[in-house]
């Protein structure tokens, strides 16, 4: 007998069986039914397995969606961090296509576009510095060449002046 007085659990041919009885109030009749316990629990166990399988599938789908959303959030941050690190090392070689920036329409997209614009401006500034440095080097070489020419002319003039002075002294001594 179970805790419910209308249920009886017993073994029939080594099979757990559940019996239920109830007295009908109006007629006084006794209604009785019995069923193999496994046949009662089998649909319940199947339902429990189905609920567990659906729960696991929902958990897997939720995790995949969560991963996709987190990747969508973190990828722009990782890309901007790479750009900032490259810029901090003055590595301006890599050009970021505009199509990569158009993917993100939020604040990270705006920051990315600003960093790319800053990199373009820095690249132009560095190229201007390189051009100016090349011009200065060219002018320095020209000044160095002219200085050498001037030195040579000065040495020649000095030699001519010495010769002229010696000739004048010789000429003065003969007079």
């Amino acid at each position: 007998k179970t805790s419910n007085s209308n249920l009886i659990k017993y073994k029939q041919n080594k099979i757990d069986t559940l019996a239920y009885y109830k007295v009908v109030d109006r007629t006084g009749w006794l209604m009785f039914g019995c069923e193999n316990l496994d046949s009662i629990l089998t649909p319940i166990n199947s339902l429990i397995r189905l609920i567990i399988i659906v729960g696991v599938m929902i958990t897997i789908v939720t995790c995949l969606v969560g991963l996709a959303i987190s990747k969508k959030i973190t990828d722009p941050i990782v890309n901007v961090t790479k750009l900032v690190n490259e810029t901090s090392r003055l590595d301006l070689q890599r050009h970021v296509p505009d199509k990569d920036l158009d993917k993100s329409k939020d604040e990270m997209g705006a920051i990315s576009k600003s960093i790319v614009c800053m990199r373009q401006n820095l690249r132009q500034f560095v190229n201007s510095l390189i051009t100016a440095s090349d011009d200065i080097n060219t002018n320095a070489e020209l000044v160095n060449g002219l200085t050498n020419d001037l030195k040579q002319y000065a040495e020649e003039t000095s030699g001519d002046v010495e010769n002229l002075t010696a000739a004048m002294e010789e000429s003065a001594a003969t007079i």
Side-chain angles (χ1 to χ4, degrees), residues 65-79 102-106 108:
V65 167
L67 284 173
I69 290 172
S70 70
K71 184 162 178 58
K72 183 175 171 73
I73 291 171
T74 58
D75 277 355
I77 295 171
V78 168
N79 290 337
D102 290 340
K103 290 179 185 175
S104 185
K105 302 284 185 199
D106 58 0
M108 288 309 299

Side-chain angles (χ1 to χ4, degrees), residues 9 12 23 27 38 44 47 61 73 81 100 147 166 170-171:
K9 183 178 178 184
Q12 179 180 4
V23 176
T27 61
D38 286 340
I44 294 171
L47 182 62
V61 168
I73 291 171
T81 303
D100 291 345
T147 303
E170 196 178 298
S171 185

Side-chain angles (χ1 to χ4, degrees), residues 20-78:
Y20 179 78
Y21 65 92
K22 171 94 173 153
V23 176
V24 179
D25 292 333
R26 288 187 155 176
T27 61
W29 293 354
L30 178 65
M31 291 191 60
F32 180 79
C34 67
E35 185 64 44
N36 179 340
L37 191 61
D38 286 340
S39 67
I40 294 173
L41 295 179
T42 298
I44 294 171
N45 290 337
S46 296
L47 182 62
I48 290 172
R49 272 188 242 111
L50 178 66
I51 289 171
I52 290 171
I53 290 170
V54 168
V56 167
M57 291 174 64
I58 288 173
T59 302
I60 290 171
V61 168
T62 303
C63 287
L64 292 174
V65 167
L67 284 173
I69 290 172
S70 70
K71 184 162 178 58
K72 183 175 171 73
I73 291 171
T74 58
D75 277 355
I77 295 171
V78 168

Side-chain angles (χ1 to χ4, degrees), residues 9 20-21 35 56 68 83 85 104 119 142-143 156 161:
K9 183 178 178 184
Y20 179 78
Y21 65 92
E35 185 64 44
V56 167
L83 275 176
N85 287 336
S104 185
R119 287 172 59 87
L142 179 65
V143 167
E156 287 176 9
V161 167

Side-chain angles (χ1 to χ4, degrees), residues 91-151:
D91 178 8
L92 304 172
Q93 297 300 320
R94 186 167 68 104
H95 177 69
V96 181
D98 289 338
K99 66 179 179 160
D100 291 345
L101 300 175
D102 290 340
K103 290 179 185 175
S104 185
K105 302 284 185 199
D106 58 0
E107 294 84 1
M108 288 309 299
I111 292 171
S112 296
K113 288 177 186 176
S114 296
I115 290 173
V116 167
C117 182
M118 177 182 65
R119 287 172 59 87
Q120 288 171 347
N121 291 338
L122 283 172
R123 196 176 296 120
Q124 289 173 352
F125 180 71
V126 167
N127 287 337
S128 296
L129 283 176
I130 290 170
T131 303
S133 175
D134 289 344
D135 290 345
I136 289 171
N137 285 338
T138 302
N139 289 338
E141 288 172 7
L142 179 65
V143 167
N144 190 28
L146 291 174
T147 303
N148 287 337
D149 288 347
L150 186 59
K151 179 182 174 189

